[in-house]
Amino acid sequence: MALSSTSARHGVIPAIQTVIRMMQRPVGEIVPGKDLVASQEPTPTVVGNDQVLLQRLYLSLDPAMRGWMRDIPSYMPPVQVGAVMRGYTISQVVVAADGSQSGRFQVGDIVVDNSMVGGWDQYAVVPAKKCSKLPMLDNNIPMTAHLSVLGLTGMTAYFGLMKVGKPQPGETILVSAAAGATGSVVAQIAKNVVGCKVVGIAGGPQKCQWLLDQVGCDAVIDYKLANGDGRKFQKQLQQALKQVDSKGYDIFFDNVGGFILNETLRRLNLRGRVVLCGAISGYNVEDQRSTQVVPPTNYMALISLRAKIEGFIVTDYVREYKEAKRQMAEWIAQGKIKYKEDVREGLEQAPEHLKSLFNGGNTGKLIVKVGEPMTGTTMHRSKL
Ligand SMILES: NC(=O)c1ccc[n+]([C@@H]2O[C@H](COP(=O)([O-])OP(=O)(O)OC[C@H]3O[C@@H](n4cnc5c(N)ncnc54)[C@H](OP(=O)(O)O)[C@@H]3O)[C@@H](O)[C@H]2O)c1
């Protein structure tokens, strides 16, 4: 189906759109305008059988994007140089072509695009089978929640904690990047659902206060005060553990790696568990053997403590997402989990916003608002 800029059933699609491409692989920190470059390009007009034309509404910004920009195969292939940058989005169907797959959609449907091709664009043609209708929730949860607490970071918190950490009531848990999208949900499930004592680790007094006041952490550590000094950090850790009446901790949900991981290993309890969720402190370092990456030299503590350190990837649990989302929605409705979103405006600024994840400029889930839903259309959704 070929469209002219004005022929679409739903109204006008602009002939030109903003697209952000990865024009070179970053070395160290991402440089907007060099590594990630915005350009004005023709909006796609040909929508083939079983395809849909999507308008992007919200783009999720994730630390994993830095990994996708490396020329190293991981759990997902690297983004190719010159390609539209990859990202998870919430989008709206603006054209559904013929075909059994696209027949599942109507103009106006709000979908999650799981194609993982592009995302940093305003419009894209994608296979209809890669899209799923956004579930309608009973309460007043906004659609952005499907990129945050009910999206990948919420699922990461849920499965990493419950399936890998396996918390028990009364245990003590440390969470790094605790004021972030994943960490703040981990802290609340641990505290309000399981009944753990929670120590949050974050950068700066404001985030630490927010963790105490809003997230409900029992104690906090502002890791920036230690400034990379192991002895100072040990003192902070000791003090925080004393505050929660624990000698050591049972679970460390680690989003950060490096110095913080290494120092915390020394305070693990017998049969403790370290959940390796992420290691953002090292994502901008090209040579992982360089001295910029602090190796976990304290790992020998794990032997006598019969402790465990285990990584995971959230997508391993994709078959269980539906039930986990239903459970999370229930906890939200019960007031056990609150979530914070940091929604920024405009796709063109997305490369600059992405940097916030690496300098602590975000609190809660970082999302970019790319477009407004079409007026005069019903936002059809399915049931969760
Ligand atoms: N395993 C999986 O399947 C999976 C899935 C999704 C995400 N993840 C991982 O989960 C982690 C959190 O992701 P998110 O999306 O929720 O991001 P986020 O926590 O919302 O944002 C990242 C936070 O990391 C902290 N940070 C950045 N550089 C740091 C450093 N050098 N040292 C200490 N803290 C630093 C910053 O907080 P401060 O201001 O407190 O420093 C920043 O706000 C990441 O490591 C990500 O890769 C893993």
Side-chain angles (χ1 to χ4, degrees):
M1 182 188 295
L3 307 168
S4 75
S5 61
T6 52
S7 70
R9 282 170 268 167
H10 55 278
V12 178
I13 300 171
I16 299 293
Q17 64 158 336
T18 300
V19 169
I20 297 187
R21 294 182 181 273
M22 188 188 78
M23 297 312 291
Q24 59 181 32
R25 299 196 186 279
V27 179
E29 278 183 28
I30 293 165
V31 182
K34 285 195 169 164
D35 304 328
L36 290 173
V37 181
S39 59
Q40 300 298 304
E41 298 184 9
T43 305
T45 53
V46 179
V47 188
N49 272 8
D50 277 328
Q51 291 183 326
V52 283
L53 175 61
L54 299 179
Q55 184 200 348
R56 309 298 190 189
L57 303 181
Y58 293 98
L59 167 69
S60 170
L61 295 185
D62 297 281
M65 288 168 167
R66 180 64 183 82
W68 302 338
M69 296 172 85
R70 286 178 201 278
D71 196 13
I72 298 173
S74 168
Y75 63 99
M76 224 177 256
V79 174
Q80 295 304 308
V81 173
V84 178
M85 184 59 195
R86 176 194 294 153
Y88 294 99
T89 65
I90 289 176
S91 304
Q92 188 167 34
V93 175
V94 290
V95 176
D98 298 331
S100 57
Q101 286 296 331
S102 35
R104 295 186 295 126
F105 297 102
Q106 299 175 48
V107 169
D109 281 353
I110 305 289
V111 298
V112 178
D113 169 16
N114 299 310
S115 66
M116 297 315 282
V117 179
W120 290 49
D121 39 24
Q122 290 180 296
Y123 292 88
V125 173
V126 305
K129 68 176 179 196
K130 296 286 183 187
C131 296
S132 47
K133 268 188 217 177
L134 208 65
M136 178 61 94
L137 299 162
D138 292 340
N139 38 28
N140 270 341
I141 298 177
M143 70 171 91
T144 47
H146 291 273
L147 294 179
S148 62
V149 67
L150 298 173
L152 212 72
T153 49
M155 294 298 97
T156 304
Y158 180 93
F159 289 107
L161 181 64
M162 303 308 253
K163 299 275 182 165
V164 186
K166 300 190 175 98
Q168 296 297 316
E171 284 191 320
T172 298
I173 174 168
L174 297 187
V175 185
S176 61
T182 307
S184 58
V185 176
V186 170
Q188 292 177 87
I189 300 176
K191 170 88 184 167
N192 302 332
V193 176
V194 185
C196 294
K197 297 185 273 188
V198 182
V199 177
I201 304 173
Q206 272 176 332
K207 285 192 178 182
C208 286
Q209 200 57 50
W210 182 73
L211 287 176
L212 290 169
D213 297 344
Q214 302 295 325
V215 176
C217 287
D218 299 291
V220 288
I221 297 172
D222 177 354
Y223 75 90
K224 287 191 174 163
L225 292 177
N227 204 17
D229 181 328
R231 258 185 256 169
K232 282 189 187 158
F233 188 83
Q234 285 303 328
K235 271 197 185 155
Q236 289 182 294
L237 188 52
Q238 205 174 351
Q239 201 179 349
L241 290 170
K242 204 170 160 191
Q243 267 174 273
V244 297
D245 208 16
S246 305
K247 281 210 168 97
Y249 65 89
D250 303 291
I251 301 174
F252 179 29
F253 192 104
D254 187 24
N255 290 309
V256 161
F259 165 78
I260 291 177
L261 171 62
N262 193 37
E263 288 302 325
T264 49
L265 287 180
R266 295 171 61 179
R267 306 294 300 196
L268 202 53
N269 282 340
L270 192 69
R271 301 200 192 285
R273 286 89 73 200
V274 176
V275 182
L276 285 189
C277 176
I280 195 167
S281 67
Y283 291 178
N284 278 331
V285 181
E286 291 315 305
D287 180 2
Q288 292 292 311
R289 290 165 300 180
S290 85
T291 51
Q292 281 176 281
V293 177
V294 178
T297 49
N298 291 325
Y299 75 94
M300 277 196 272
L302 276 78
I303 301 169
S304 56
L305 293 168
R306 289 83 155 175
K308 200 156 89 170
I309 188 161
E310 186 176 349
F312 76 100
I313 291 293
V314 64
T315 47
D316 294 347
Y317 299 96
V318 71
R319 286 197 181 85
E320 296 172 64
Y321 281 3
K322 197 172 174 187
E323 174 52 23
K325 287 182 190 194
R326 194 205 52 73
Q327 179 62 83
M328 294 278 268
E330 195 177 303
W331 290 337
I332 293 167
Q334 292 168 349
K336 290 179 176 165
I337 296 181
K338 295 183 192 123
Y339 56 97
K340 189 168 171 66
E341 294 172 347
D342 188 340
V343 183
R344 316 269 175 102
E345 290 283 332
L347 180 63
E348 288 209 19
Q349 298 308 316
E352 206 51 67
H353 297 320
L354 181 60
K355 290 175 70 179
S356 298
L357 293 170
F358 302 95
N359 61 28
N362 69 306
T363 303
K365 176 71 195 127
L366 190 59
I367 295 171
V368 174
K369 183 175 178 184
V370 180
E372 289 285 349
M374 292 179 286
T375 49
T377 55
T378 316
M379 291 195 268
H380 309 283
R381 303 215 204 153
S382 63
K383 274 209 154 230
L384 187 68

